[in-house]
Structures are given as structure tokens and as C-alpha cells.
Amino acid sequence: MANIITDEMIDYVGILAKLELSADEKEQAKKDMSRMLDYIDQLNELDTSGVEPMSHIFPVQNVFREDVVTNGDSREAILSNAPEQKDGAFKVPKTVEQ
């Protein structure tokens, strides 16, 4: 199929891409876009009826681990490093004035 790229299409794409193209750049863009569309048409001619759709080229497995607590409750050890503590929590200076 012949893909005809018009000047209006190039102007529209230039607006979308926020590009200001010179006349030479527009002509080159027309050629490039036409070649890209021709290549897509060539790919569409391939018989992919026996190919199963995929989302990744490599097999993807669940990479998440189980959410298991490994360090336990070490509140006292952590609070032992605090300069001040109150009711089992760090005590910090007030930062918001009302």
C-alpha cells in the first residue's frame, strides 16, 4: 500500500511535537515517515496466525517475595538510640506553630 504523507500531516505532527520545521526538514520528515509506514505495512504482511501473543520477550515470573517479618519487635533497641523518648516513641521538637 502506498503511504502518502501530505504537507498538512507533517504540519500537524510538527504542531503535536512542538517543532518548527524548515521546508527541507519537512521534506525529509515526509520521506522518513513514508519509509516507516511502508515498513509497518511490510510487517503486517507476515503470517502471525501461529504465534501466541506475548507481553514480554522473556518469561516473566512473580518476583515478589512473601511479606514475612524477619527482624521482630526491636522497639527497645531502636529507642535506646533516641536522645529523647515518650510513650514508646521518639520525642522530637515541635515544628509547626499554630
Side-chain angles (χ1 to χ4, degrees):
M1 175 191 334
N3 293 300
I4 300 171
I5 307 296
T6 63
D7 290 333
E8 291 80 22
M9 288 181 192
I10 295 296
D11 290 337
Y12 182 68
V13 171
I15 290 169
L16 292 176
K18 298 185 185 316
L19 296 174
E20 292 182 21
L21 300 174
S22 68
D24 291 338
E25 290 171 328
K26 287 181 183 181
E27 286 303 314
Q28 185 62 44
K30 280 172 57 173
K31 291 177 189 173
D32 291 344
M33 288 178 73
S34 181
R35 285 183 30 235
M36 285 187 266
L37 292 174
D38 288 341
Y39 185 70
I40 291 170
D41 285 341
Q42 184 180 356
L43 291 176
N44 285 333
E45 293 174 5
L46 294 174
D47 179 21
T48 58
S49 58
V51 179
E52 190 172 326
M54 63 178 146
S55 61
H56 295 82
I57 194 165
F58 298 110
V60 177
Q61 300 168 351
N62 186 358
V63 295
F64 297 110
R65 62 173 170 74
E66 292 295 319
D67 190 14
V68 178
V69 177
T70 57
N71 58 353
D73 184 21
S74 56
R75 179 188 300 190
E76 295 304 321
I78 293 171
L79 285 176
S80 68
N81 295 318
E84 293 187 56
Q85 52 180 302
K86 180 180 178 182
D87 300 328
F90 288 96
K91 184 175 178 183
V92 296
K94 185 176 180 180
T95 58
V96 178
E97 297 293 328
Q98 290 185 351

